[in-house]
Amino acid sequence: FYHMDLYGSKERFDIFPEELSGRGDRSLGDTRREPALSSEKVQRPQEVCYDLEEEVAELAKMYGLDEDREKELELLGGHLEKVESRWPPARTEKAGSQGSIYNTSKSSSSVKDPSQSTKQQGLPDEASQGENQSKARADDEVESNIWSRGGLSSGGVSDEWNSQAVSEEEEEEEEEEAADVFCSTCKIPIRAFDKLFGEHKDHEVAQLPNAVESEKEEIHKNMCKLEEQIAQMENVASHLEEIFITVEENFGRQEQNFEVHYNDAVQVLAQKYEEQLEALGEEKRQKLEALYEQLVNCGKHLDTCKELTDETQELFLENDKAEFMKTLIFFPYNYRLEEFLKKEVDLELSMLPDFEERVIDVSEVEQLMNSINAIPAPCAPVMNPQAPNAATGTSLRVCWGLFSDDTVECYQLCYKPVSNESHSDEQAEHTLKVKETYCTISGLLPNTQYEFWVSALNTSGISPPSERSVYVTAPSPPTIKNKKIQSCENAALVCWESRDVNPVDSYTVELSKLTDEENDDIITESIVGIPNCEVLIHLQPAQKYRICVRAQNLGGSSERSEPVLIHTTGTCFYLNEDTAHPLLAILDDGFTISCDELENPECDLPVYDNSFTRCIAILGSLIPFPGKHYWEVEVEEDTEYRTGVAFENTPRHGHLGANNSSWCMRHIITPSRHKYEFLHSGMTPDIRITIPPRRIGILLDYKNCRLSFFNADIAQHLHTFNSHFQHYVHPCFALETPGILRIHTGIATPPWTAL
């Protein structure tokens, strides 16, 4: 079935092209054959639908429905509800359609010319029926035609409703599968299935979280630009407010100048004075109106900026990533931000605060006019805030402005250090005279605050001082503690100290990987915003790095510190002198310990709080890196010693290996042989070593909870502790007889250590 709006129209034949061949020779003039055809339709149900369409077209032409389509729609609309209410609810769509067709065909035969029906069908008794009966049948025909159309249209509407319901169910099923990738070509979230088999097969896609992060980063950049513009506009608004005040001050000075100098000639110059004063007021009004209009526009721009900021922040709070991307597509905030930021903002003053020079040139008072001092004392300058990167460790660049047309011969700049609460002495002031509206002051202290103020001078006098502004110098370069650096194959812990008395805001570590020593080919990275004087850096194995540190404050960045080189070939640590026994000495290389021949280890030498008191031992620095760590200890055959690892809280008044917080290998010389013990909690396995090691390899494996000892000279495994290290450990070393131990760090883990 087709929509009833196509009855009697040319478009109907485009929907049913198969009917054109069978109906091409038919016309509306074949009305004589209609009664006979109507009787045949009752006997041949297969042709009912075909003949019904012809009869509907003929009826439409007969009653003028094809000429006035609006009347037909109005007629049908008035009967649709009536027809649907009469339609039997239990009747199927097919039965309803056949009933409508039968009624239509029957009524169609009754509206033909009675004389022609008599000739064709041989029914002379029908000719005696009058015109009244023909009109009644015509009315029945209209009603039956409406029934037929109602059946057809109701069927079409039902089919359309069913198809729409099916499509909505399909859409709901598709929406159930959440989008997990983002099509960069179409700029929409899609399913991974659509990338493999759908219309996005050849498109470039990205993971949805990555796309979200990329969009957020772009929005963040625009937000930063927007915030900069907001700050700029706020500065302009503050500047405009200062201009308002300056205009008022200039106006007051001009008025006072007229009143003071022209007081003696008030009678002569009364008229001129009033004219000049009125003109001056008019100029003031124009200036203030222009400045007020610019200030209003500035406020509107600020409101728009803040509105965009609020909308973007609400968008950032959206947790659903797919919804976030859809929101960006249908409500392109990023595009709005970019378009808004492209708009040029008029930051120039619409009206200067200076006034037109008004000189009363009257010949009668020429002598009086020549005696008038026309140059007033300048107004107070305005200090500019400190610009980025305008400071070094010993110098500052200071700028100011004069927002008037006052004549200025020079400026007097004064400054002094900001007094600290701990120092009650008044700081000395320094004064400079400069011609320009800027000055670079050198010879200052690093990372120190200074306050500046300036005055303007001319032949008439000196202006009031400006408001005081605080500037700060950049910090001094930090000092890296070379002996405190710890590293392993994939990380390094770098420590430094500040050379400034005042604290700094943060530190920046600059990291350079030396890829080609001959050509000095380096790749530089930076780690910014470090609050403390140490940082743990993740590195690549078997590489060489150059590291520098800068200090940061409001004044800018310090110079680079002295660089240090780090090799990621093995684990490096240092010996902690605070833990050393008083009889134990650390030689100049920092990795050799020695003990002189003394009979009583428990001597009366000064002892630190963290040092060993009974065992002549020392701890190395903490090894805070997960994974494997290897170092070697070179020993002498006739020296008794202990070496291993221990926790930070291992007792300082006991021996290494005698408690549950330390693990060590001990060498003892007996009259018969060299004895080796592997101690933990005072317990040792029964192990006999035939070849005394001269170079002991120690492998600490945090991941596998192992501590292994090797004879590095012959690659022989001696013993392995299997223990779960609850905390990071320190290397530990002890001498029980006079002698020396040499520690070797930064060694790559030998392959023969794999158990």
Side-chain angles (χ1 to χ4, degrees):
F1 301 106
Y2 48 86
H3 199 275
M4 56 185 167
D5 288 347
L6 300 177
Y7 271 97
S9 62
K10 184 178 179 181
E11 290 78 1
R12 179 170 64 86
F13 297 102
D14 297 334
I15 300 176
F16 298 96
E18 66 277 5
E19 301 177 14
L20 293 177
S21 59
R23 298 171 56 188
D25 56 346
R26 297 181 60 87
S27 63
L28 297 177
D30 297 335
T31 56
R32 297 179 179 180
R33 299 176 55 191
E34 289 301 325
L37 291 174
S38 299
S39 60
E40 294 176 0
K41 290 174 189 175
V42 178
Q43 300 175 359
R44 292 184 299 171
Q46 296 82 358
E47 300 177 2
V48 169
C49 184
Y50 174 82
D51 294 336
L52 173 62
E53 294 171 0
E54 277 191 345
E55 292 174 3
V56 168
E58 293 173 0
L59 289 173
K61 183 174 182 64
M62 180 181 300
Y63 290 97
L65 296 178
D66 57 343
E67 297 177 357
D68 192 359
R69 190 72 55 85
E70 295 180 358
K71 293 182 179 180
E72 179 187 14
L73 294 176
E74 182 179 359
L75 178 62
L76 293 175
H79 288 276
L80 279 178
E81 295 182 359
K82 178 179 178 181
V83 171
E84 292 177 357
S85 62
R86 294 179 183 177
W87 201 269
R91 180 180 297 177
T92 61
E93 182 180 354
K94 181 176 180 181
S97 301
Q98 290 179 355
S100 298
I101 294 170
Y102 179 78
N103 293 334
T104 305
S105 62
K106 181 179 179 179
S107 60
S108 299
S109 63
S110 64
V111 298
K112 305 302 177 182
D113 188 8
S115 60
Q116 294 183 4
S117 300
T118 304
K119 293 179 182 179
Q120 293 182 7
Q121 299 181 6
L123 300 175
D125 56 332
E126 289 183 5
S128 62
Q129 297 177 359
E131 293 180 357
N132 294 332
Q133 186 176 2
S134 300
K135 292 181 180 179
R137 290 181 178 179
D139 295 336
D140 294 338
E141 167 67 338
V142 173
E143 183 177 357
S144 62
N145 187 25
I146 293 173
W147 271 77
S148 175
R149 294 190 184 185
L152 293 174
S153 60
S154 62
V157 172
S158 177
D159 294 341
E160 183 179 358
W161 174 264
N162 293 333
S163 62
Q164 183 177 0
V166 172
S167 62
E168 289 179 354
E169 292 177 357
E170 294 176 353
E171 292 178 359
E172 291 177 356
E173 291 177 357
E174 293 179 357
E175 289 177 357
E176 289 178 357
E177 299 183 15
D180 49 4
V181 295
F182 181 74
C183 179
S184 303
T185 305
C186 301
K187 302 296 183 183
I188 57 173
I190 62 173
R191 301 173 300 168
F193 179 83
D194 296 335
K195 167 60 181 173
L196 298 176
F197 305 104
E199 59 181 356
H200 304 276
K201 182 177 182 181
D202 299 329
H203 294 180
E204 182 181 355
V205 299
Q207 293 295 327
L208 189 59
N210 297 338
V212 171
E213 292 299 327
S214 176
E215 291 295 333
K216 284 187 176 181
E217 182 179 357
E218 188 68 22
I219 293 176
H220 177 69
K221 293 179 180 179
N222 289 329
M223 284 291 296
C224 293
K225 295 180 180 179
L226 187 62
E227 290 175 357
E228 292 178 359
Q229 192 172 108
I230 290 175
Q232 191 176 16
M233 294 304 300
E234 288 177 348
N235 292 335
V236 172
S238 177
H239 186 190
L240 290 174
E241 292 176 356
E242 294 175 355
I243 295 301
F244 265 82
I245 298 173
T246 305
V247 169
E248 292 288 354
E249 293 176 352
N250 290 345
F251 174 76
R253 287 202 308 273
Q254 289 281 8
E255 185 179 24
Q256 183 180 6
N257 185 56
F258 282 128
E259 290 177 354
V260 171
H261 292 85
Y262 292 93
N263 190 33
D264 296 339
V266 63
Q267 294 179 356
V268 179
L269 302 176
Q271 184 177 0
K272 295 293 182 180
Y273 170 76
E274 293 296 333
E275 293 176 356
Q276 292 291 341
L277 190 59
E278 182 179 357
L280 188 64
E282 179 64 18
E283 185 178 358
K284 169 199 171 184
R285 184 186 63 80
Q286 294 177 358
K287 289 180 180 293
L288 294 180
E289 288 179 354
L291 292 173
Y292 177 77
E293 182 179 359
Q294 188 176 10
L295 183 61
V296 171
N297 293 335
C298 178
K300 292 180 179 178
H301 192 83
L302 276 174
D303 293 340
T304 305
C305 292
K306 293 178 180 178
E307 180 182 354
L308 289 175
T309 303
D310 295 338
E311 292 179 359
T312 310
Q313 289 177 351
E314 292 179 1
L315 179 61
F316 263 69
L317 297 177
E318 180 65 41
N319 294 326
D320 190 350
K321 298 179 180 178
E323 190 66 22
F324 176 84
M325 299 304 302
K326 290 181 180 179
T327 305
L328 286 181
I329 295 170
F330 294 103
F331 303 93
Y333 294 105
N334 195 19
Y335 176 78
R336 289 179 59 191
L337 287 176
E338 293 177 352
E339 291 298 317
F340 181 78
L341 294 174
K342 289 179 182 179
K343 295 181 180 179
E344 296 183 0
V345 181
D346 186 13
L347 303 179
E348 298 293 332
L349 293 177
S350 60
M351 185 67 67
L352 295 177
D354 49 342
F355 283 76
E356 179 183 358
E357 286 289 340
R358 301 183 182 278
V359 180
I360 301 177
D361 186 13
V362 182
S363 59
E364 298 177 358
V365 290
E366 183 177 358
Q367 183 178 359
L368 179 62
M369 293 291 296
N370 292 333
S371 63
I372 296 176
N373 183 8
I375 302 177
C379 62
V382 177
M383 292 293 301
N384 295 342
Q386 183 173 359
N389 301 321
T392 65
T394 58
S395 65
L396 283 170
R397 179 181 174 86
V398 184
C399 300
W400 60 89
L402 185 68
F403 301 103
S404 69
D405 59 349
D406 295 338
T407 302
V408 177
E409 294 183 357
C410 65
Y411 296 93
Q412 180 176 290
L413 178 64
C414 303
Y415 68 94
K416 69 174 184 178
V418 176
S419 59
N420 195 343
E421 296 179 357
S422 60
H423 298 83
S424 58
D425 297 339
E426 185 68 22
Q427 300 289 340
E429 296 183 2
H430 303 271
T431 303
L432 297 174
K433 286 190 176 181
V434 293
K435 292 287 187 180
E436 296 80 8
T437 57
Y438 58 89
C439 181
T440 300
I441 300 96
S442 54
L444 305 178
L445 298 176
N447 196 30
T448 304
Q449 292 182 342
Y450 291 86
E451 55 181 0
F452 293 84
W453 64 97
V454 65
S455 301
L457 292 85
N458 63 11
T459 56
S460 299
I462 185 171
S463 72
S466 65
E467 295 289 335
R468 299 196 177 194
S469 180
V470 177
Y471 283 57
V472 59
T473 54
S476 301
T479 301
I480 299 179
K481 300 177 182 179
N482 294 332
K483 295 183 178 181
K484 301 293 184 180
I485 294 177
Q486 304 175 64
S487 64
C488 63
E489 293 183 351
N490 52 18
L493 181 63
V494 182
C495 302
W496 60 87
E497 60 182 359
S498 175
R499 294 164 50 189
D500 299 317
V501 177
N502 299 323
V504 300
D505 295 340
S506 64
Y507 296 93
T508 298
V509 174
E510 296 181 354
L511 182 69
S512 303
K513 183 171 67 175
L514 305 182
T515 57
D516 189 350
E517 295 184 2
E518 296 180 358
N519 300 326
D520 197 25
D521 184 15
I522 61 175
I523 302 174
T524 303
E525 299 177 359
S526 296
I527 305 174
V528 300
I530 303 172
N532 302 320
C533 292
E534 65 177 20
V535 64
L536 181 62
I537 310 172
H538 295 280
L539 306 174
Q540 297 177 359
Q543 299 294 333
K544 185 177 181 180
Y545 293 89
R546 179 188 292 118
I547 295 178
C548 300
V549 181
R550 293 177 183 265
Q552 304 280 345
N553 67 2
L554 293 176
S557 175
S558 70
E559 299 294 330
R560 287 190 180 94
S561 65
E562 291 295 328
V564 294
L565 296 179
I566 293 179
H567 300 266
T568 56
T569 54
T571 300
C572 293
F573 56 85
Y574 62 90
L575 297 178
N576 190 351
E577 297 181 6
D578 295 338
T579 63
H581 189 276
L583 297 179
L584 198 66
I586 303 176
L587 301 188
D588 294 338
D589 62 358
F591 292 96
T592 302
I593 60 175
S594 66
C595 177
D596 296 334
E597 184 175 357
L598 292 177
E599 296 181 357
N600 184 16
E602 298 182 5
C603 59
D604 296 332
L605 294 176
V607 178
Y608 296 103
D609 294 337
N610 198 30
S611 61
F612 286 91
T613 58
R614 185 175 181 182
C615 180
I616 306 176
I618 188 174
L619 294 181
S621 60
L622 187 71
I623 302 179
F625 315 112
K628 295 182 179 181
H629 305 279
Y630 179 81
W631 64 93
E632 294 180 354
V633 182
E634 187 178 348
V635 301
E636 296 178 349
E637 189 175 353
D638 57 348
T639 302
E640 295 183 357
Y641 57 84
R642 298 180 188 227
T643 181
V645 298
F647 287 141
E648 173 69 27
N649 60 353
T650 188
R652 301 296 193 263
H653 58 277
H655 290 280
L656 298 177
N659 47 62
N660 60 357
S661 60
S662 59
W663 300 257
C664 72
M665 171 184 174
R666 182 187 183 190
H667 173 229
I668 305 173
I669 301 176
T670 64
S672 59
R673 63 184 179 91
H674 292 271
K675 183 179 179 181
Y676 293 91
E677 297 177 344
F678 296 91
L679 298 170
H680 176 63
S681 299
M683 305 295 292
T684 179
D686 186 11
I687 297 177
R688 183 178 296 272
I689 298 176
T690 57
I691 302 176
R694 298 295 303 273
R695 196 177 182 98
I696 301 172
I698 302 175
L699 177 63
L700 172 64
D701 189 348
Y702 280 123
K703 181 178 180 181
N704 296 316
C705 304
R706 293 177 180 176
L707 177 65
S708 302
F709 296 87
F710 301 89
N711 186 343
D713 293 330
I714 60 176
Q716 179 187 17
H717 174 252
L718 302 178
H719 179 67
T720 296
F721 289 103
N722 292 297
S723 178
H724 178 66
F725 300 104
Q726 298 178 353
H727 309 284
Y728 290 122
V729 297
H730 298 256
C732 59
F733 312 92
L735 288 169
E736 297 186 344
T737 60
I740 61 174
L741 295 179
R742 294 183 177 88
I743 298 99
H744 300 273
T745 63
I747 303 173
T749 304
W752 42 262
T753 59
L755 298 179

